């Protein structure tokens, strides 16, 4: 049984070492015991530089988040014995910042006390940049669309008001259709703008009193 356990542990260590994600194992005080190749690649630190040191501090790849974030993390994994998940801003050895999707799991003993912590981080910086570029593109495109739509609305109103001469019934019906379809397009563009504002955390809320019963 002992031989089998040793072999299983070796297989586990090999799997961890060769994983592409940042995986570390620490003791109950957060001191690094194991630091895999994925962690070396993402952070830029070698295992020998960080093993036996505290994980994710200002001295290595952490320390950039608000203190409350780290307090909540420790309360979750150490006091409650639960998995902690969050997006963290970290830094590589060369000082470059990156965004990590982090998951830290406690390994508990029979009495429910943490014996180890297993931290897994995925570098999502590129995905975040792509999402930001997409949001900015939607915002820019929506703003550009509003100009011609406004012109169509203005000119259609002038047609319907008879500013360019009286319209017959068929012409008025077509102009009405154009006007209504344009209003729908304006509403769609406004919704797209609101989506991009929400994603960029720039949505402005204007509360107003309403008749709830009527709504």
């Amino acid at each position: 049984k002992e031989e089998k356990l040793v072999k299983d542990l070796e297989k586990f260590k090999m799997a961890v070492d060769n994983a592409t994600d940042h995986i570390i194992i620490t003791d109950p005080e957060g001191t690094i015991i194991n630091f895999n190749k994925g962690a070396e690649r993402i952070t830029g630190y070698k295992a020998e530089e960080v093993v036996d040191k505290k994980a994710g501090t200002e001295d290595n790849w952490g320390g950039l988040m608000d203190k409350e974030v780290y307090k909540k993390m420790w309360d979750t994994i150490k006091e409650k014995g639960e998995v902690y998940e969050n997006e963290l801003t970290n830094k590589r050895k060369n000082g470059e910042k990156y965004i990590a999707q982090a998951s830290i799991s406690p390994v508990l003993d029979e009495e429910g006390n943490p014996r180890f912590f297993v931290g897994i981080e995925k570098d999502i910086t590129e995905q975040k940049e792509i999402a930001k570029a997409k949001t900015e593109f939607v915002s820019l495109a929506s703003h550009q669309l509003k100009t011609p739509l406004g012109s169509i609305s203005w000119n259609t109103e002038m047609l319907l008001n008879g500013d360019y001469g009286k319209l017959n019934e068929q012409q008025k019906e077509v102009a009405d259709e154009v006007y209504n379809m344009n209003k729908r397009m304006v509403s769609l563009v406004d919704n797209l703008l609101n989506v991009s504002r929400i994603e960029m955390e720039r949505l402005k809320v204007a509360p107003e009193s309403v008749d709830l019963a009527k709504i």
Side-chain angles (χ1 to χ4, degrees):
K1 287 182 178 179
E2 288 178 357
E3 287 179 2
K4 184 177 184 301
L5 179 60
V6 170
K7 288 180 180 178
D8 288 344
L9 287 172
E10 284 298 320
K11 289 178 182 177
F12 173 74
K13 187 176 185 303
M14 187 179 296
V16 169
D17 284 343
N18 290 283
T20 56
D21 287 344
H22 166 144
I23 302 177
I24 66 169
I25 301 174
T26 78
D27 69 8
E29 300 307 315
T31 301
I32 300 169
I33 298 170
N34 187 274
F35 194 77
N36 79 333
K37 293 177 182 177
E40 290 184 345
R41 179 181 58 81
I42 291 173
T43 67
Y45 289 93
K46 294 294 182 183
E48 55 267 25
E49 295 179 277
V50 294
V51 168
D52 294 331
K53 295 181 180 178
K54 295 284 187 179
T57 66
E58 293 179 0
D59 295 329
N60 42 65
W61 66 89
L64 298 180
M65 303 292 290
D66 189 85
K67 289 182 180 179
E68 286 300 313
V69 173
Y70 298 112
K71 184 179 183 300
K72 182 178 180 181
M73 178 188 74
W74 277 107
D75 286 344
T76 302
I77 63 177
K78 195 166 186 179
E79 303 302 326
K80 298 178 181 177
E82 299 174 353
V83 177
Y84 176 82
E85 294 181 326
N86 198 7
E87 288 183 7
L88 303 175
T89 299
N90 290 331
K91 64 179 183 296
R92 309 188 205 280
K93 186 179 179 180
N94 63 8
E96 178 186 5
K97 293 181 182 179
Y98 68 96
I99 302 172
Q101 179 65 53
S103 173
I104 305 172
S105 305
V107 179
L108 308 177
D109 60 20
E110 294 177 354
E111 297 177 353
N113 299 313
R115 289 193 62 193
F116 305 101
F117 296 117
V118 179
I120 302 175
E121 292 186 6
K122 183 183 289 290
D123 185 350
I124 58 170
T125 309
E126 185 176 351
Q127 293 94 309
K128 284 286 186 179
E129 289 175 351
I130 291 172
K132 181 182 178 183
K134 180 207 72 175
T135 302
E136 289 175 348
F137 171 77
V138 170
S139 177
L140 178 63
S142 300
H143 277 293
Q144 293 298 320
L145 283 170
K146 289 201 77 171
T147 301
L149 289 174
S151 179
I152 292 170
S153 178
W154 179 260
N155 283 286
T156 308
E157 283 183 16
M158 292 179 70
L159 280 172
L160 290 169
N161 290 334
D163 293 347
Y164 297 121
K166 188 175 180 181
L167 303 179
N168 59 40
E169 288 303 315
Q170 186 177 11
Q171 290 171 332
K172 187 177 180 183
E173 185 177 330
V174 171
D176 271 328
E177 182 69 16
V178 171
Y179 183 75
N180 290 328
M181 290 297 291
N182 189 70
K183 281 180 66 177
R184 289 176 61 185
M185 283 295 296
V186 170
S187 177
L188 175 61
V189 170
D190 285 338
N191 287 336
L192 285 172
L193 277 170
N194 282 336
V195 168
S196 64
R197 286 169 184 149
I198 290 170
E199 291 181 344
M200 298 170 74
E201 299 182 355
R202 295 178 183 170
L203 182 68
K204 294 181 180 179
V205 179
E208 59 182 30
S209 299
V210 296
D211 185 341
L212 189 59
K214 184 178 180 181
I215 291 176

